[in-house]
C-alpha cells in the first residue's frame, strides 16, 4: 500500500504580514509534497507562526505553542517571538526548533530535519499563485520586510531588521499571478509602504511595456493598471504621499489610506519618535480630501502612552474631532520588552488608560456614525465577501476586510462571492451600512 504524504499543521498568529509569511511557508511545503493538516490530530508536525509585538501577543503565542504541544507534541516555532528564543525555551523547552521572522528557508530546514519529505509527482503540485489563507477573491501583497523607523514603543526593527524592499518586477509578477487566479482585491502591506523602494534607490523596471521606478507612487500606479481593487495599508503621512491622492481621484487605486497617526499631540508624537511627526497632518488631510472627496482614511492610535498628561489626551480628542477620520482603532499602551518608551516616563495607571480608551472610542464611534449617515441615498460599488441567507455581506471601497465595516445588501442571494456590484445605501449604524441592489452593475 502506498504511504500517504507527510502532513504539517500550521497555526498563524498576528498581523496580515505574518499571514503572508504563513502563506509562503505553506506554499513551500506543498511544493515539496507535504499535505496541510486541518487539525492537530491529523498532523505529523505543527508549525506555530508567532507574534511578539506586545506582551499580550507574546502571551497568546506562548499559549498557542503550549496548546500545539499538548494536542500534537511535535512543534516548530517561527515568527516574531522566535527572535527571542529564550522566552520560548523557558516555558516550552520541548519544542523541536525555533526560527525568527520571515525565515522561510530555516523553517523548511527544520521541517525536513524532523519530518523528511516524500517526493511524488502526484503530490508536488502547487498553483502558480501559491497557497493562500485568505478567500479566493482578495489577497495580501507584501512589498517589503523590516523598517527603518525607530519609534520608541516598537521593536519591529530589532525583530525584522531594516527596510528590505522586494524588487518591483517581482512584486508585479506576483500581483499578476494573483489576479489571474481570480483575486479581485489586492491589499498592499509592509511595515512602511510609503518608504517602498528607498533602499533600492528607485531602480527602474519595465512592466507591460511601461517603465516604473521602485518607489511608492510607481508601485501604486503599476498595481492600478491590473484592473482590480488596490488598497494601500501602513502609509505614513510623508509629503511624497500626496502624489497618490491624484491617482485615487482618477480611479487608479481605491480612495483609501491606512495611515498610522498614533496620536494627535505633538509632544507625545516626539516622545514616540514617530516619522513625519512634525508634519501638519490636519492640513494634509484637508488637502487630500479637497483633491479626492471620496477618500477614506483609517488609522490606529495609542492612549496612555508613558507620560501622557490629561492635557495631551485632550489634544488627541480635539485632533480627532477636527480630523474626522472614517475608520479608527485604538490600543491602550502596553510595555514591550526592549522598547525605549518604557523608560521615557512613568506608566499611565491602568484605570486612567481604561477611562481614556473608553472616551476615545466613544468619540470615534460618534464620528463614524455621522460620516456613514451622510452616505445614505448614495450609489456605491461593493465587493461581495459571503452570502448569509438572502443577504450579501459585502464591502465598499471604504472597508478593508476584518478591520473595517461591512455593507449588508438586502435581497442579495443571487450575487456571487467575489462579485463587484452597484448598490444603493438605504441605512447606516455606527460602523456598517445597509443597502439594496442598484439597477446598473459595473463589469467585474
Amino acid at each position: 500500500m502506498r504511504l500517504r504524504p507527510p502532513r504539517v499543521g500550521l497555526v498563524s498568529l498576528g498581523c496580515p504580514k505574518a499571514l503572508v509569511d504563513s502563506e509562503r511557508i505553506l506554499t513551500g511545503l506543498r511544493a515539496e509534497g507535504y499535505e496541510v493538516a486541518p487539525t492537530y490530530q491529523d498532523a505529523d508536525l505543527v508549525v506555530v507562526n508567532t507574534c511578539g509585538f506586545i506582551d499580550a501577543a507574546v502571551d497568546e503565542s506562548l499559549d498557542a505553542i503550549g496548546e500545539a504541544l499538548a494536542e500534537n507534541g511535535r512543534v516548530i516555532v517561527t515568527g516574531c517571538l522566535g527572535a527571542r528564543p529564550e522566552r520560548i525555551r523557558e516555558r516550552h523547552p520541548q519544542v523541536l526548533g525555533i526560527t525568527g521572522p520571515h525565515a522561510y528557508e530555516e523553517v523548511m530546514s527544520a521541517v525536513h530535519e524532523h519530518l523528511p519529505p516524500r517526493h511524488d509527482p502526484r503530490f508536488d503540485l502547487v498553483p502558480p499563485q501559491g497557497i493562500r489563507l485568505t478567500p479566493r477573491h482578495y489577497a495580501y501583497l507584501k512589498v517589503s520586510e523590516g523598517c527603518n523607523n525607530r519609534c520608541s514603543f516598537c521593536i519591529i526593527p530589532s525583530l525584522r531588521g531594516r527596510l528590505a524592499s522586494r524588487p518591483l518586477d517581482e512584486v508585479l509578477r506576483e500581483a499578476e499571478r494573483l489576479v489571474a487566479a481570480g483575486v479581485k482585491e489586492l491589499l498592499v502591506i509592509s511595515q512602511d509602504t510609503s518608504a517602498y523602494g528607498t533602499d533600492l534607490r528607485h531602480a527602474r523596471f519595465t512592466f507591460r511595456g511601461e517603465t516604473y521606478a521602485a518607489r511608492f507612487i510607481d508601485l501604486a500606479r503599476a498595481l492600478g493598471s491590473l484592473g482590480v481593487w488596490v488598497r494601500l495599508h501602513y502609509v505614513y503621512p510623508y509629503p511624497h504621499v500626496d502624489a497618490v491622492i491624484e491617482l485615487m481621484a482618477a480611479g487608479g487605486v481605491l480612495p483609501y489610506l491606512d495611515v498610522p497617526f498614533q496620536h494627535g499631540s505633538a509632544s507625545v508624537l516626539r516622545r514616540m519618535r514617530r516619522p513625519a511627526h512634525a508634519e501638519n497632518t490636519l492640513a494634509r488631510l484637508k488637502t487630500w480630501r479637497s483633491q479626492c472627496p471620496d477618500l477614506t482614511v483609517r488609522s490606529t492610535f495609542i492612549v496612555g502612552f508613558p507620560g501622557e498628561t490629561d492635557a495631551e489626551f485632550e489634544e488627541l480628542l480635539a485632533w480627532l474631532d477636527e480630523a474626522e477620520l472614517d475608520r479608527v482603532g485604538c490600543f491602550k499602551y502596553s510595555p514591550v520588552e526592549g522598547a525605549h518608551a518604557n523608560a521615557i516616563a512613568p506608566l499611565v495607571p491602568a484605570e486612567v488608560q481604561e477611562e481614556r480608551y473608553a472616551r476615545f472610542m466613544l468619540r470615534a464611534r460618534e464620528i463614524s456614525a455621522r460620516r456613514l449617515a451622510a452616505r445614505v441615498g448614495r450609489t456605491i460599488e461593493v465587493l461581495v465577501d459571503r452570502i448569509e441567507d438572502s443577504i450579501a455581506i459585502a464591502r465598499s471601497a471604504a472597508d478593508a476586510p476584518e478591520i473595517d465595516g461591512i455593507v449588508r445588501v438586502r435581497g442579495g442571494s443571487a450575487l456571487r462571492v467575489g462579485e463587484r456590484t452597484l448598490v444603493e445605501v438605504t441605512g447606516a449604524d455606527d460602523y456598517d451600512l445597509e443597502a439594496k441592489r442598484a439597477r446598473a452593475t459595473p463589469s467585474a
Side-chain angles (χ1 to χ4, degrees):
M1 185 174 70
R2 178 173 55 84
L3 293 175
R4 66 165 175 79
R7 295 172 180 167
V8 178
L10 188 137
V11 177
S12 186
L13 305 172
C15 64
K17 294 178 283 294
L19 185 71
V20 173
D21 292 344
S22 294
E23 291 174 339
R24 185 167 174 181
I25 292 168
L26 288 178
T27 298
L29 291 170
R30 287 292 290 119
E32 294 189 358
Y34 292 90
E35 284 187 353
V36 179
T39 67
Y40 290 122
Q41 289 70 32
D42 292 329
D44 300 310
L45 178 149
V46 176
V47 176
V48 180
N49 188 6
T50 60
C51 179
F53 181 51
I54 60 176
D55 287 352
V58 171
D59 291 340
E60 181 186 19
S61 293
L62 291 172
D63 288 346
I65 296 167
E67 178 181 286
L69 285 168
E71 296 291 332
N72 182 277
R74 291 166 52 79
V75 176
I76 292 170
V77 179
T78 188
C80 286
L81 187 57
R84 290 180 278 171
E86 70 285 351
R87 289 291 301 273
I88 300 169
R89 294 284 186 196
E90 179 183 1
R91 184 157 157 188
H92 301 299
Q94 65 271 50
V95 297
L96 300 177
I98 300 173
T99 74
H102 55 88
Y104 315 109
E105 291 77 12
E106 289 88 340
V107 173
M108 296 301 292
S109 295
V111 172
H112 292 162
E113 178 183 351
H114 298 285
L115 186 65
R118 297 190 184 103
H119 290 289
D120 187 320
R122 289 168 294 184
F123 298 139
D124 300 355
L125 298 174
V126 176
Q129 73 275 14
I131 305 299
R132 302 207 331 270
L133 298 173
T134 52
R136 183 173 183 267
H137 60 285
Y138 69 81
Y140 293 102
L141 182 66
K142 185 158 62 170
V143 299
S144 66
E145 294 284 3
C147 184
N148 288 346
N149 301 319
R150 292 295 182 268
C151 303
S152 63
F153 57 84
C154 182
I155 59 171
I156 290 296
S158 64
L159 295 177
R160 290 183 170 261
R162 292 181 59 80
L163 175 71
S165 301
R166 296 174 60 194
L168 182 58
D169 55 341
E170 178 184 304
V171 172
L172 297 178
R173 284 197 302 271
E174 180 183 351
E176 268 192 318
R177 290 193 297 270
L178 290 168
V179 172
V183 167
K184 305 296 185 183
E185 178 182 12
L186 296 168
L187 299 108
V188 182
I189 59 171
S190 67
Q191 298 297 335
D192 182 356
T193 302
S194 41
Y196 173 77
T198 55
D199 56 316
L200 300 177
R201 299 188 178 183
H202 307 309
R204 304 183 77 79
F205 301 92
T206 299
F207 177 67
R208 293 188 169 186
E210 297 287 336
T211 300
Y212 299 95
R215 67 176 77 240
F216 173 64
I217 183 60
D218 281 21
L219 168 70
R221 188 177 292 115
L223 291 174
S225 72
L226 296 176
V228 298
W229 280 9
V230 176
R231 192 179 300 276
L232 302 173
H233 287 273
Y234 310 111
V235 177
Y236 286 81
Y238 303 123
H240 74 263
V241 172
D242 295 353
V244 84
I245 305 300
E246 298 178 18
L247 183 63
M248 291 176 175
V253 298
L254 290 181
Y256 178 102
L257 274 183
D258 175 7
V259 185
F261 289 115
Q262 302 295 11
H263 213 279
S265 165
S267 54
V268 173
L269 289 169
R270 282 193 296 272
R271 295 201 300 275
M272 288 181 169
R273 298 180 181 173
R274 292 296 287 164
H277 71 266
E279 298 294 329
N280 187 335
T281 51
L282 289 173
R284 176 152 278 118
L285 281 168
K286 185 177 181 180
T287 300
W288 287 351
R289 283 174 169 152
S290 68
Q291 294 173 340
C292 184
D294 289 333
L295 177 67
T296 293
V297 181
R298 103 165 314 273
S299 190
T300 51
F301 294 84
I302 297 174
V303 295
F305 188 77
E308 182 188 61
T309 64
D310 290 340
E312 288 171 333
F313 177 70
E314 293 297 333
E315 283 185 74
L316 170 59
L317 293 181
W319 187 97
L320 188 65
D321 282 338
E322 188 169 351
E324 286 211 314
L325 301 183
D326 303 90
R327 304 297 193 189
V328 169
C330 183
F331 301 93
K332 290 166 282 189
Y333 179 79
S334 173
V336 178
E337 183 180 341
H340 176 75
N342 299 335
I344 286 178
L347 295 179
V348 175
E351 62 274 15
V352 176
Q353 285 193 345
E354 192 65 45
E355 185 265 342
R356 290 176 182 174
Y357 173 83
R359 289 179 61 195
F360 179 93
M361 290 308 298
L362 175 61
R363 191 72 58 91
R365 187 176 71 194
E366 293 169 346
I367 294 170
S368 174
R370 187 165 60 247
R371 292 187 68 83
L372 288 179
R375 302 181 73 184
V376 174
R378 293 182 56 186
T379 297
I380 61 174
E381 186 180 15
V382 298
L383 179 66
V384 179
D385 279 337
R386 62 187 185 275
I387 307 296
E388 295 181 355
D389 298 324
S390 63
I391 299 174
I393 306 300
R395 291 179 291 107
S396 71
D399 307 304
E402 300 188 7
I403 57 174
D404 293 330
I406 59 173
V407 182
R408 298 182 185 88
V409 184
R410 301 287 176 181
S413 57
L415 294 170
R416 302 183 309 276
V417 172
E419 181 178 353
R420 285 163 51 185
T421 188
L422 291 176
V423 300
E424 180 185 338
V425 179
T426 58
D429 59 24
D430 291 342
Y431 299 111
D432 303 323
L433 295 175
E434 300 283 338
K436 64 181 181 181
R437 295 191 67 179
R439 292 180 181 272
T441 300
S443 57

